[in-house]
Amino acid sequence: MNMTRLVLLGALASIITAPAALAAEPVKIRASWIVAPSDWTPMLPEKPDLLTHQGKSYVFEPVRYAGTPAVITAMANNEVELGNLAFSSLGIAIQNAGLEDLRIIGDQFRDGEGASYSNEYYVLKDSPIRKVEDLKGKVIATNVAGSAVDIAMRAMLRRHGLEDKRDYTVVEAPFPTMKAMLTQKKADLVSFVAPFSFDPELKEIARPLFSQKDAIGTTQMLVWVARKDFLEKNRAAMLDFMEDALRVVRWYLDPANHEAAVAIAAKLTKQPPERFSGWLFTSQEYSRSGDLLPNLRALQANIDVQRELGFLKGPIDISRYTDLSFVQEAASRMK
């Protein structure tokens, strides 16, 4: 009799829980991005055939932001689940925004790693500025104070004895307007990142004075981050997402797909394909990991420079905020 009752109870439990299981919604993964094609996020949905778990275990939703400070706010308010933060924003998010539960889970790209491209700081070709010391008393354009590009610039000038306000003036301008800032002589030195630095017109009128790599070495520019609680509650869905992301990233990095990748970048940015042809996802641009593994040694060094320049209150041990188990397990599934 007891056995019969147990069987009946088990069957009843299955009937009750089955509709709930069937009705389970895919996990929503809202992901921030700022610039295409530098950020992987807007590039992923362009290959729906490779996102095999999309719409099943998760729903991926790219959300564009003007800059990483806005991403910090969005993550603090749980408006995005997957953030893309520069090293400069990561430290601020942890110390100033109190996001102690942030975890680095993947790579976006690195600046100046090996022979890969590094952001450049340009002056006009006919400018009398020939060395960093010549920037004393000059106007320098940066995208945002405290950004990764800005921190590298300040580190380079400090190394040559120059300090903000005392020795030079900093103005802020969006990257697309940097060339105009230079040609209209509103700034003597301007900051350039890809793809703007590959503009043929820029090469005709200007020359690089130094690079970001010259200033601070290899930079782990952007990383994917998520909050610990979300990762713990949705591990299965995040593993599926990371597996799909790896599949798409490896497709973009395959030289055989270069022309198709260029066409996608051109469509997303509304730029002619020629703007990306020859360099996009090659050794001529930023370094990208086909395994989505960040350069943690470089990231720690970058954070340390940020602190030395006074943008952080204290030291940060990056290892405390890293969880690469998702991308590593996802990669193991694909072997």
Side-chain angles (χ1 to χ4, degrees), residues 121 129-137 140 151-164 166-168 189 209-216 309:
Y121 302 81
I129 300 171
R130 295 290 169 181
K131 56 185 185 297
V132 175
E133 288 81 359
D134 295 337
L135 291 169
K136 187 168 185 177
I140 296 172
I151 285 173
M153 177 271 294
R154 292 172 191 269
M156 188 64 162
L157 269 64
R158 173 172 287 187
R159 189 189 305 168
H160 291 265
L162 303 180
E163 295 289 345
D164 182 20
R166 187 192 73 186
D167 300 305
Y168 59 89
L189 178 86
L209 186 66
F210 61 89
S211 71
Q212 186 165 311
K213 184 174 184 177
D214 294 333
I216 60 174
L309 289 171

Side-chain angles (χ1 to χ4, degrees), residues 34 38-39 68 84-90 106-113 116-119 121 143 147-152 175 192-194 212-213 216-224 286-288 294-295 298-299 302-303:
I34 297 163
S38 296
D39 292 323
T68 49
N84 62 324
L85 292 183
F87 78 83
S88 52
S89 303
L90 178 63
D107 171 66
Q108 290 280 281
F109 67 90
R110 285 73 64 90
D111 175 286
E113 184 176 63
S116 66
Y117 175 75
S118 180
N119 295 326
Y121 302 81
N143 62 321
S147 69
V149 173
D150 178 70
I151 285 173
F175 287 124
F192 276 90
V193 301
Q212 186 165 311
K213 184 174 184 177
I216 60 174
T218 299
T219 307
Q220 177 62 55
M221 284 295 288
L222 286 178
V223 291
W224 262 339
Y286 302 115
S287 175
R288 300 173 185 267
N295 185 332
L299 181 58
N302 303 151
I303 292 285

Side-chain angles (χ1 to χ4, degrees), residues 2 9 11 21 34 46 50 71-73 102-103 112 117 125 127 132 143 148 160 192 208-210 234 259 331:
N2 288 340
L9 287 172
I34 297 163
E46 297 299 318
L50 300 180
V71 175
I72 295 174
T73 301
L102 278 186
R103 294 297 179 267
Y117 175 75
K125 276 189 175 179
S127 169
V132 175
N143 62 321
H160 291 265
F192 276 90
L209 186 66
F210 61 89
N234 302 286
E259 288 188 13

